[in-house]
Every structure is written in structure tokens, then in C-alpha cells.
Amino acid sequence: MRLILIGPPGSGKGTQAKLLSQRRGLRHLSTGDILRESILRDTAEGKLAAPYVSTGRLVPDDIVNETVNSRFRAPDRPTCFIMDGYPRTVPQAQSFDAVLHAAGLNLDGVIFLKVPDDEIVSRLGGRWNCPNPKCGATYHTHFKPPKRIGICDTCGTRLMQRDDDRPETIKKRLQIFHGFYDDLVEHYRKGGLLIEVPGMGDIEAIYGKIEKALGALKTK
Ligand code: AMP
């Protein structure tokens, strides 16, 4: 199956994409994860992307398109996949359409996780991560607090907040999302691929709604 998952930052895209990947055997491609890793490794791509990612702005289309295109040109290119956080703009969607067409691959659906803005601000503002690369545990002040405030339960490292999860950056990310997503959603609605799923409630309940919608699709 070939899917795209779109939704505002903090809508649970990453969590649902991981579940779909594990349970349906799909390759999980998250442009956010790829870019963060490139920044950590200080690669040429990372150097270009860093000023955008740290301030919550979209990385320019040509950079992120090349990040994705290079993976679809590689000999081990994904054939069954879940895209997480890409495409985010119509030019990215058009570039991805062309890449898939050239590879002879069709999309099965585009899942749109809908979550209200005030819920997003509360979810993202409470996220804390363990910066130890061997651990990487994640916490949330409301939903999954660490046993000791600010300290990782697993390895004892001081927890950190992603630069782009700070309140002023969250507001900017939401504005950016709303500026682009209407057109993106329309692009896939016109293509008959859009599947809207409410992203509120617990993780398994949302996953169940996604599976139900996918069950109604004809798979290729
Ligand atoms: P995410 O983990 O998907 O929330 O992405 C984190 C950050 O990476 C975003 O705020 C952008 O700066 C950058 N990013 C990820 N995917 C894209 C994309 N498709 N287009 C532009 N920027 C992106």
C-alpha cells in the first residue's frame, strides 16, 4: 500500500505513521526525521535545512523534494510506504506525483488527520525529549510525565524541548500549516485520494478509524 499522512504539526502523524508502518509493513518516510538527522550529522543538506527547522519554517521545496526524490531514485527505493510530513505544499505534491509516475507507482490514499489548533498548542508545548542519541525517549507534561521533572526515566539525562516546540514557534508552524494546507488538501481531493480522519482521542482509537477508512479502499 502507498499512503501519505498529512495534518498539522502535533496531530499525531508520526505516531500513526509508525503504527501503519509496523502493522502493514510499510516503509516510513518522515522528512522531519530525515532533516533532523542531517542537521545532527551536519551534512550539506543539514546545513541548508537547519535555519528553517529551528525556527519552524518550511524548508524550501527544492531542498526537500531532492531529499525525497533521491530515495525514490535509489536501487532500494520504497514501493510500499507511508509518507509522514511530505508533501506539505502543492509544488511538493506535484514533484512527488511526477516521481511516483516515473517509478510506475500509484498512491492508494492521502489520510488527513484533523485536529483543532488549541489542542495542538497544548500537545506540542508539553513535549520533552531525551537528547541522548542512544535513548531518545519522549515525554509529555500532561500525557506521559517523567518520574522526576526534567529527567529521563530510562537513562537519567536532562530532558530538552525541541527548538520548534517552543510556544512562539508553535504558533508560527500553525500559521504556516494553514497557509498551505487548503491548497494541498484540494490537490488530493481533486485526485479522489483524500481520506479525512478526526485526530482526537486515544492513539488506538484514531488508528482504528484510519484502518476502517483504509479497509474501504481498493488496494493496488
Ligand atoms: P515535522 O517533524 O514533520 O514536524 O517537521 C519538522 C520541521 O522540518 C518542519 O517544521 C520544517 O521545518 C521541516 N520539514 C519537514 N518536512 C518538510 C516538508 N515536507 N517541507 C518543508 N519543510 C519540512
Side-chain angles (χ1 to χ4, degrees), residues 31-32 35-36 53 57-59 64 85-86 88 92 173:
T31 42
L35 293 171
R36 276 187 290 276
V53 175
R57 287 175 298 152
L58 288 189
V59 175
V64 77
Y86 179 93
R88 264 177 159 89
Q92 289 181 19
R173 287 167 76 193

Side-chain angles (χ1 to χ4, degrees), residues 8-52:
S11 57
K13 288 191 305 285
T15 306
Q16 295 297 333
K18 267 185 211 130
L19 288 178
L20 281 160
S21 156
Q22 287 159 2
R23 297 180 186 177
R24 284 185 165 257
L26 307 177
R27 186 128 148 227
H28 177 197
L29 283 171
S30 154
T31 42
D33 285 350
I34 295 170
L35 293 171
R36 276 187 290 276
E37 200 191 317
S38 300
I39 293 169
L40 268 178
R41 293 187 8 240
D42 204 23
T43 64
E45 178 188 65
K47 285 192 176 80
L48 290 170
Y52 298 94

Side-chain angles (χ1 to χ4, degrees), residues 22 30 37-38 40 46 48 59 65 87 89 96 98 106 108 113-114 119 129 146 149 152 156 176-177 181 191 208 211:
Q22 287 159 2
S30 154
E37 200 191 317
S38 300
L40 268 178
L48 290 170
V59 175
N65 284 339
T89 66
F96 195 46
N106 290 319
D108 293 290
L113 275 183
K114 295 181 83 173
E119 170 75 13
N129 308 301
I149 295 174
C152 179
I176 292 169
F177 174 77
Y181 93 104
E211 276 295 343

